[in-house]
Amino acid sequence: MKVELNNTENESKLIIKKCHICGHIMESAHEVQKCGKCKKSFLPVNYFSKVHSKSQKEFEQLFAQGHEIHEEDLIKGLTVLW
């Protein structure tokens, strides 16, 4: 069985992330900054390829929307795009 998803450029991909500390599963159209269960903070997917921020607001802007992330950017086993 083949499943096809029709995402247009205006639709964001769903990011599904598993917390590497407590195992909690989260879904969002934008990168999750903290675990909803244990409150562990996460870094953005492309953190090391982006400019390091000097303020909290600049840091928050490093977190991408689902449509801005590519499969090869993800940590296998912890994050998936849907």
Side-chain angles (χ1 to χ4, degrees), residues 13-44:
K13 294 179 184 175
L14 182 63
I15 302 168
I16 302 171
K17 183 173 183 83
K18 179 179 180 181
C19 177
H20 61 284
I21 301 297
C22 71
H24 181 68
I25 307 288
M26 297 150 281
E27 296 180 9
S28 177
H30 191 267
E31 279 187 88
V32 179
Q33 295 184 27
K34 286 188 176 187
C35 175
K37 186 174 180 184
C38 73
K39 306 302 181 206
K40 169 68 180 159
S41 294
F42 303 127
L43 290 174

Side-chain angles (χ1 to χ4, degrees), residues 18-75:
K18 179 179 180 181
C19 177
H20 61 284
I21 301 297
C22 71
H24 181 68
I25 307 288
M26 297 150 281
E27 296 180 9
S28 177
H30 191 267
E31 279 187 88
V32 179
Q33 295 184 27
K34 286 188 176 187
C35 175
K37 186 174 180 184
C38 73
K39 306 302 181 206
K40 169 68 180 159
S41 294
F42 303 127
L43 290 174
V45 170
N46 289 320
Y47 178 74
F48 294 108
S49 66
K50 296 180 179 179
V51 177
H52 295 276
S53 61
K54 296 179 182 172
S55 71
Q56 180 66 26
K57 184 172 180 150
E58 288 176 353
F59 177 74
E60 290 172 358
Q61 292 174 349
L62 295 178
F63 290 86
Q65 294 288 330
H67 69 274
E68 299 172 320
I69 300 173
H70 304 284
E71 284 287 331
E72 58 271 6
D73 297 331
L74 303 177
I75 299 172

